[in-house]
Amino acid sequence: MFIDSHCHINFPDLAGRLPEIFDLMTANQVSHALCISVELEKFPEIRALAEAHPNVYASVGVHPDHEDCTEPTVEELVALADHPRVVAIGETGLDYFRLTGDLEWQRERFRTHIRAARACRKPLVIHTRSAADDTLRIMREERAGEAGGVMHCFTESLAVAEAAIELGFYISFSGIVTFKNAASLREVASAIPLERMLIETDSPYLAPAPHRGQTNQPGFVKHVAEEIARVRGLTAEAVGEATTENFFRLFAAARPN
């Protein structure tokens, strides 16, 4: 079995196709999916999906790209995370690629999420783009390792991956690892410990080969596992087994009874 550790099936591109999406998950042996929050206004949709579908989990958080939205407080995040189907805080982090100028608000929001994760003892889902140094610095300053979590849709260097792993974090690979121009990322995927790895789609974005150009969905996550297996000299089943166990180890609240 495979698990999609990061998707957005509540987004318009996917929300109207849920029966089809769940059928493809079953056909491709994708047992579970974690639907990720990007703004508090839409969080009730995500929580409702997780309540309605036993193989879907939820997170709560505000994406670093969302500048004009409700700013969360530690107390609010902790309260919303107090639900058996909510297994993580995020996605949160820093993005200096899409936004420029004074981004201190982004760094403060990241700190808020880390403090909430430590308070409620649920792991973080961290987004970082063109901001690795500040991301790692704030993780250290705010003791993010006490909560643990995952560096989602990882595209940074091996050194950044190793620094995150040293802080107790997992590294999650998306369909980007299948792209022709992603040789350096494949090197990271071949080098880090398998016991610190997750796989994801980040759907509806970043469809892996052989589905480039299509709307991504959780059922495609097996292609991420297949590519990682290829570069590591393993079977896709071995990657699926390891990343599934890693998912339930990290997101302990999601582990089936």
Side-chain angles (χ1 to χ4, degrees):
M1 288 292 185
F2 307 101
I3 292 181
D4 185 357
S5 67
H6 192 114
C7 64
H8 302 282
I9 58 173
N10 66 307
F11 281 15
D13 288 352
L14 298 177
R17 300 168 50 202
L18 290 181
E20 169 195 338
I21 287 164
F22 290 129
D23 284 349
L24 187 67
M25 286 174 63
T26 299
N28 287 340
Q29 296 183 294
V30 181
S31 62
H32 298 82
L34 174 52
C35 188
I36 299 293
S37 171
V38 296
E39 57 187 17
L40 296 187
E41 289 81 358
K42 296 295 181 65
F43 171 70
E45 295 178 359
I46 296 171
R47 182 177 57 202
L49 279 170
E51 290 171 340
H53 302 282
N55 63 336
V56 175
Y57 302 102
S59 75
V60 59
V62 181
H63 195 288
D65 284 355
H66 289 224
E67 187 171 5
D68 298 319
C69 62
T70 301
E71 198 65 42
T73 65
V74 170
E75 294 75 18
E76 186 172 20
L77 290 170
V78 169
L80 293 172
D82 186 18
H83 187 288
R85 306 296 298 172
V86 179
V87 301
I89 299 292
E91 75 187 89
T92 184
L94 302 177
D95 193 320
Y96 296 170
F97 180 82
R98 294 187 180 92
L99 299 176
T100 58
D102 183 0
L103 298 180
E104 184 58 28
W105 62 269
Q106 207 179 80
R107 291 184 282 274
E108 286 303 309
R109 181 184 292 173
F110 187 25
R111 293 181 188 276
T112 294
H113 282 74
I114 296 173
R115 292 166 188 171
R118 288 174 50 219
C120 69
R121 298 183 179 277
K122 292 189 176 181
L124 290 150
V125 176
I126 294 181
H127 167 112
T128 184
R129 190 171 184 190
S130 302
D133 289 346
D134 277 359
T135 300
L136 291 169
R137 174 178 61 81
I138 291 173
M139 288 169 67
R140 294 186 183 105
E141 290 174 356
E142 296 292 338
R143 307 197 308 279
E146 293 179 11
V150 56
M151 310 298 285
H152 113 87
C153 195
F154 192 80
T155 56
E156 303 291 337
S157 67
L158 178 59
V160 172
E162 290 172 340
I165 290 169
E166 187 175 347
L167 289 171
F169 278 70
Y170 290 74
I171 307 298
S172 181
F173 295 95
S174 71
I176 293 173
V177 78
T178 72
F179 295 0
K180 290 181 179 179
N181 62 352
S184 60
L185 185 60
R186 285 188 284 275
E187 290 176 3
V188 177
S190 70
I192 69 167
L194 188 59
E195 61 268 21
R196 281 287 164 179
M197 183 183 296
L198 297 178
I199 55 176
E200 65 173 88
T201 60
D202 202 13
S203 53
Y205 312 115
L206 304 173
H211 298 286
R212 290 296 303 275
Q214 299 178 26
T215 300
N216 203 3
Q217 56 178 300
F220 292 166
V221 77
K222 73 170 188 176
H223 299 296
V224 179
E226 288 169 349
E227 183 62 18
I228 291 170
R230 187 187 69 80
V231 300
R232 296 183 71 103
L234 300 171
T235 64
E237 289 75 15
V239 173
E241 180 180 354
T243 53
T244 293
E245 176 58 30
N246 294 344
F247 179 90
F248 288 122
R249 185 185 306 118
L250 175 60
F251 301 109
R255 186 178 289 274
N257 293 326

